[in-house]
Amino acid sequence: MNEGMAGDSKLQWFVRGTAVGMLTMAMINAISYFLRSEHWGSLVGDHSTGRESLGFPLVVWEDGQTYGGMFVDYPMLGLNLLFATFIGAIVGTFAASKSTPLNVMMASMHDHSPTDHLQPIQFTLRSLLITTTLVAVVAMLANNYAARPETLIAIYAAGPTFLVAIAFLPRRISWQKRVAIIIPATVCLIAVAIAVGIALGMEFDKVLMGVFLCWTPQSALGALAISTWILLSYFRSHPSPYRES
């Protein structure tokens, strides 16, 4: 074992693993709404009658319940958070136990990554044309369907994909700069969703709930897919991966 190797500590990998485990539980909680509820129309302004509930393993919200003036059942939410923390700790412990090979992998990937941290964001002509087209399409849709359920459905269903596509249009920039693109774009898209929801007569928190329910599973699955692709790419390029002796 190479103990002198620079890299992140076991605690850092534990925190990352715990975050992954808790994100997975958040995804499962979001999916639970679609399994527990009789209809989903309220997420786009349809106020049809039908039972709606959310939570895993315990129900933390059910339509029509007041919870003493609170939005959710906080005792049940606390128990769910404890369960999510427990699952996260298991994943974190596993990640911490593999800190050395993970550090080797991260160092290898960093050595082969482009050194463009000081490079300003630049769009190629092709990227600029794509961006202009996307903006025109979004403007047209907003103009024609601004106060329609279809707009919310599009934001719920394609929001994360749209944001990632926007962030990846610039070429040869670091991931930090891509995050800097995604954050304001996310805020703007959520603001559009809220504006459309209010125009449809929806409550503010119901729109945010819809964003959480629809975006969390997509984001978690997307992160899992990207992580899997990175790991597979690494192991394909390193047929004899480092192993602790």
Side-chain angles (χ1 to χ4, degrees):
M1 181 184 300
N2 189 358
E3 296 180 354
M5 182 180 302
D8 295 333
S9 66
K10 289 182 179 292
L11 178 59
Q12 289 173 303
W13 283 110
F14 174 80
V15 172
R16 290 169 183 162
T18 301
V20 169
M22 296 188 72
L23 175 61
T24 302
M25 291 306 302
M27 176 188 70
I28 294 174
N29 270 271
I31 294 175
S32 72
Y33 170 84
F34 299 99
L35 300 178
R36 292 183 181 273
S37 302
E38 295 177 354
H39 75 99
W40 313 331
S42 65
L43 298 179
V44 292
D46 181 4
H47 303 290
S48 302
T49 58
R51 185 179 62 85
E52 293 179 276
S53 58
L54 166 69
F56 178 85
L58 303 173
V59 174
V60 300
W61 174 84
E62 188 170 359
D63 188 34
Q65 299 293 330
T66 59
Y67 302 112
M70 302 297 181
F71 181 66
V72 298
D73 188 337
Y74 282 102
M76 296 298 101
L77 177 62
L79 292 175
N80 280 2
L81 286 174
L82 286 176
F83 181 73
T85 303
F86 172 72
I87 297 298
I90 293 176
V91 179
T93 300
F94 176 78
S97 69
K98 302 296 182 182
S99 60
T100 301
L102 286 171
N103 281 329
V104 172
M105 183 183 70
M106 294 298 293
S108 176
M109 293 170 58
H110 182 269
D111 291 340
H112 292 86
S113 63
T115 56
D116 61 345
H117 299 288
L118 299 179
Q119 177 182 341
I121 296 177
Q122 295 180 348
F123 284 85
T124 64
L125 178 59
R126 179 183 178 185
S127 298
L128 184 60
L129 290 174
I130 294 175
T131 303
T132 304
T133 302
L134 287 175
V135 171
V137 170
V138 171
M140 179 190 68
L141 292 176
N143 183 60
N144 293 317
Y145 302 103
R148 295 176 61 88
E150 289 84 351
T151 307
L152 276 181
I153 292 174
I155 293 174
Y156 290 157
T161 302
F162 175 78
L163 293 171
V164 171
I166 289 294
F168 273 83
L169 281 178
R171 302 177 60 184
R172 294 185 295 275
I173 65 172
S174 63
W175 66 267
Q176 292 94 336
K177 292 176 182 176
R178 299 191 192 280
V179 171
I181 295 173
I182 286 180
I183 291 176
T186 300
V187 173
C188 291
L189 195 56
I190 292 177
V192 171
I194 292 173
V196 172
I198 292 175
L200 291 173
M202 297 175 59
E203 296 179 357
F204 170 84
D205 53 7
K206 194 70 171 185
V207 179
L208 292 181
M209 179 178 171
V211 171
F212 165 76
L213 294 175
C214 298
W215 284 18
T216 302
Q218 295 180 67
S219 301
L221 291 174
L224 178 62
I226 292 174
S227 300
T228 302
W229 176 77
I230 291 174
L231 288 172
L232 290 177
S233 299
Y234 173 79
F235 287 122
R236 277 199 300 265
S237 60
H238 297 75
S240 298
Y242 179 87
R243 296 182 183 276
E244 293 180 289
S245 57

